Amino acid sequence: MFVSEFDRFAQGYLKNREIQTEVAEKLLKMLPARHYRSVLDMGCGDGAVFKSGIIESDMFTACDLSPRMCALHPITNGVYVINGDFDDPATITEITAHSSKYDLLVSSSALQWSKSLELFFERYSKISSTFAVSIFTDKTFDSVNKFLEIKSFLPSTLQLKNILSKYKISEFKSEIFTKSFESGADAVRFIKQTGVSGKRNEIGYKEGKRLYESGPNVLEFEVFYAVGSFSKNDFSTS
């Protein structure tokens, strides 16, 4: 099951999350305010958003699919941690038990796993006023995809702009990171342990062997950032 993959590589993720941590901090620094009455963190992991200290809130609700990640998230007064699938309407019911409306929805490096981003934003627009999201795009692991001649399942920057075009965007940008490894095998291990691709785009034994033996040793990560309001707005992507 999908959730078991997150639990399986939880410790590896914690050791190799420097890019995700950097992405979360850059996203939070884009926000116009530093204090919010209530914050909802979707795909919270072990709490990078909460532990950054960049924003503060009176109430903080965090949600993640992995029970092991949830267990690692800090819990203090006003902090609630929910183990659930953010695509599941039942999870929204549990979230709104703590607050019917949130001032800010944050999701960093997680929404690329959503089954439908359009539906995700439609659902959560009803329970949050503003949002800040960072999402890995289809340019992530570009050299690996080209090496294997496969198409990324991740959304493109243009697709993300189109999905968010109905809302009022105050700021968006995309950014590319690269990380070098001593060998293709080390790069493959990093991909598996960081969980950027989840269980999507699984490859066969022969393709995996090719990657280990002669695959690229430099990985690319493209991240799309967007901050805005769930107020309806005509937002042109042209």
Side-chain angles (χ1 to χ4, degrees):
M1 294 177 62
F2 194 37
V3 63
S4 66
E5 285 296 297
F6 284 88
D7 274 350
R8 179 183 174 191
F9 293 115
Q11 291 305 121
Y13 171 84
L14 296 176
K15 293 178 182 178
N16 299 284
R17 64 175 181 181
E18 65 268 20
I19 290 176
Q20 286 93 331
T21 299
E22 183 177 351
V23 166
E25 291 177 353
K26 288 186 175 184
L27 174 66
L28 296 174
K29 288 176 181 178
M30 291 171 64
L31 287 166
R34 290 292 175 263
H35 184 272
Y36 296 85
R37 182 188 63 81
S38 55
V39 173
L40 175 60
D41 182 7
M42 303 305 292
C44 63
D46 70 319
V49 169
F50 181 81
K51 291 187 287 190
S52 72
I54 295 174
I55 59 172
E56 298 178 348
S57 64
D58 301 324
M59 187 184 74
F60 191 99
T61 302
C63 177
D64 199 273
L65 183 63
S66 166
R68 291 185 66 182
M69 287 295 187
C70 288
L72 293 171
H73 194 287
I75 298 179
T76 61
N77 290 336
V79 175
Y80 306 95
V81 179
I82 296 170
N83 175 215
D85 180 351
F86 52 50
D87 284 327
D88 188 345
T91 300
I92 296 181
T93 299
E94 191 171 355
I95 287 169
T96 53
H98 298 292
S99 176
S100 60
K101 191 81 171 180
Y102 289 82
D103 289 341
L104 173 68
L105 178 148
V106 178
S107 183
S108 185
S109 306
L111 289 183
Q112 65 270 7
W113 298 312
S114 177
K115 299 180 184 71
S116 171
L117 284 169
E118 293 94 335
L119 189 54
F120 174 90
F121 285 110
E122 180 183 337
R123 286 171 171 167
Y124 286 89
S125 68
K126 298 174 183 177
I127 66 169
S128 180
S129 301
T130 61
F131 63 87
V133 298
S134 60
I135 305 171
F136 286 102
T137 79
D138 61 348
K139 296 301 182 184
T140 298
F141 304 148
D142 193 45
S143 58
V144 171
N145 292 333
K146 288 178 178 177
F147 179 82
L148 295 176
E149 298 181 325
I150 60 175
K151 181 176 174 59
S152 174
F153 76 90
L154 297 170
S156 68
T157 294
L158 180 58
Q159 287 173 324
L160 292 170
K161 288 181 181 179
N162 287 335
I163 290 169
L164 291 170
S165 63
K166 66 176 68 174
Y167 307 113
K168 186 177 180 181
I169 308 297
S170 59
E171 184 178 359
F172 70 83
K173 65 180 181 180
S174 59
E175 184 175 21
I176 295 178
F177 301 81
T178 59
K179 184 175 177 62
S180 299
F181 301 85
E182 292 186 2
S183 67
D186 290 335
V188 173
R189 293 188 191 99
F190 181 87
I191 292 173
K192 287 184 176 181
Q193 293 183 340
T194 53
V196 169
S197 61
K199 281 185 67 68
R200 313 274 187 92
N201 276 11
E202 287 190 338
I203 59 175
Y205 173 78
K206 289 183 179 180
E207 290 81 2
K209 189 171 185 292
R210 283 177 57 211
L211 273 179
Y212 270 91
E213 293 178 348
S214 56
N217 66 340
V218 176
L219 297 178
E220 309 83 9
F221 305 81
E222 184 181 57
V223 182
F224 174 86
Y225 303 83
V227 172
S229 166
F230 277 120
S231 301
K232 300 297 182 181
N233 187 60
D234 291 328
F235 175 70
S236 173
T237 59
S238 60

